[in-house]
């Protein structure tokens, strides 16, 4: 792998997420629980207390080993594919916009239901990257390597609606994906003849 194919942004994001998780493991369960309450996405604290940092910090906080393992696995796979095709700058901006957008959409859904819960994890941003990949495949004549649009749509449905059990913020997943699709339709221009994804 040459330097131009190294997913630098994806690698940095994974390292940051893992470092935060290791810190939470180091400080112990009670302190880690307080850490999630302080840095997770909680819309009353954002709107009423002006803690706007939460819309970003929640993306680097995970609730357990399985949570971060699943998220970092998907980020590693999708991020590598998208970063080298989409470009590092657009990729990192899109990542954060999708994560923030997913959190905002989830918060709006909670407001509508008169609810408020602390939400943590990079899933909204990762689903946004998933949405970007979906648009890339459509714009590249619906087939890139072994990945086709129908397969990706099916995977998306399974990922979103297969994780609707209690405690999973599926609205952040769905919202992040929608934001990713919109961003990709606006920003992505295919380079036909030189695009190949492999998963």
């Amino acid at each position: 792998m040459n330097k131009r194919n190294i997913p630098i942004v994806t690698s940095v994001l994974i390292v940051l997420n893992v470092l935060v998780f290791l810190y939470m493991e180091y400080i112990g369960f009670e302190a880690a629980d307080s850490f999630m309450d302080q840095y997770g996405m909680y819309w009353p604290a954002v709107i009423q207390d002006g803690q706007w940092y939460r819309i970003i910090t929640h993306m680097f906080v995970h609730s357990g080993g399985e949570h971060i393992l699943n998220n970092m696995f998907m980020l590693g796979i999708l991020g590598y594919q998208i970063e080298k095709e989409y470009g590092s700058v657009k990729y990192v901006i899109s990542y954060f916009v999708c994560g923030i957008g997913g959190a905002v959409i989830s918060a709006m859904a909670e407001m509508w239901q008169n609810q408020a819960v602390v939400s943590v994890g990079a899933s909204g941003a990762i689903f946004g990257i998933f949405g970007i990949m979906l648009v890339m495949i459509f714009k590249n004549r619906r087939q890139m390597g072994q990945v086709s649009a129908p397969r990706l749509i099916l995977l998306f449905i399974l990922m979103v609606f297969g994780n609707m059990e209690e405690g999973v913020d599926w609205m952040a997943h769905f919202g992040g994906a929608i934001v990713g699709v919109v961003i990709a339709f606006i920003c992505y221009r295919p380079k036909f003849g030189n695009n190949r994804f492999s998963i």
Side-chain angles (χ1 to χ4, degrees), residues 4-7 10 78-88 91 136 191 196-198:
R4 61 185 295 182
N5 287 329
I6 297 175
T10 299
L78 298 177
Y80 171 72
Q81 300 290 342
I82 296 300
E83 184 175 347
K84 65 181 182 179
E85 167 66 19
Y86 197 49
S88 296
Y91 169 69
M136 283 183 169
K191 302 171 185 176
R196 292 294 180 271
F197 283 165
S198 59

Side-chain angles (χ1 to χ4, degrees), residues 48 65 90 107 110 116 125 131 145 152 161 165 168 188:
Q48 298 170 13
K90 285 197 295 185
E110 288 181 7
L152 202 61
F161 297 102
E165 67 266 17
V168 174
Y188 176 66

Side-chain angles (χ1 to χ4, degrees), residues 85-86 90 131-144 147-150 152-153 180-197:
E85 167 66 19
Y86 197 49
K90 285 197 295 185
I132 291 172
M133 177 179 277
L134 179 61
V135 173
M136 283 183 169
I137 289 179
F138 271 110
K139 286 193 172 186
N140 284 279
R141 299 171 182 172
R142 304 194 179 192
Q143 180 73 43
M144 301 185 73
V147 185
S148 64
L152 202 61
I153 291 173
V181 167
V182 172
I183 290 175
F185 266 116
I186 296 172
C187 298
Y188 176 66
R189 297 294 180 271
K191 302 171 185 176
F192 292 107
N194 193 35
N195 300 343
R196 292 294 180 271
F197 283 165

Side-chain angles (χ1 to χ4, degrees), residues 64-83:
E66 183 178 356
H67 188 200
I68 190 170
L69 182 63
N70 290 339
N71 276 353
M72 294 306 100
F73 177 74
M74 291 305 301
L75 176 58
I77 292 177
L78 298 177
Y80 171 72
Q81 300 290 342
I82 296 300
E83 184 175 347

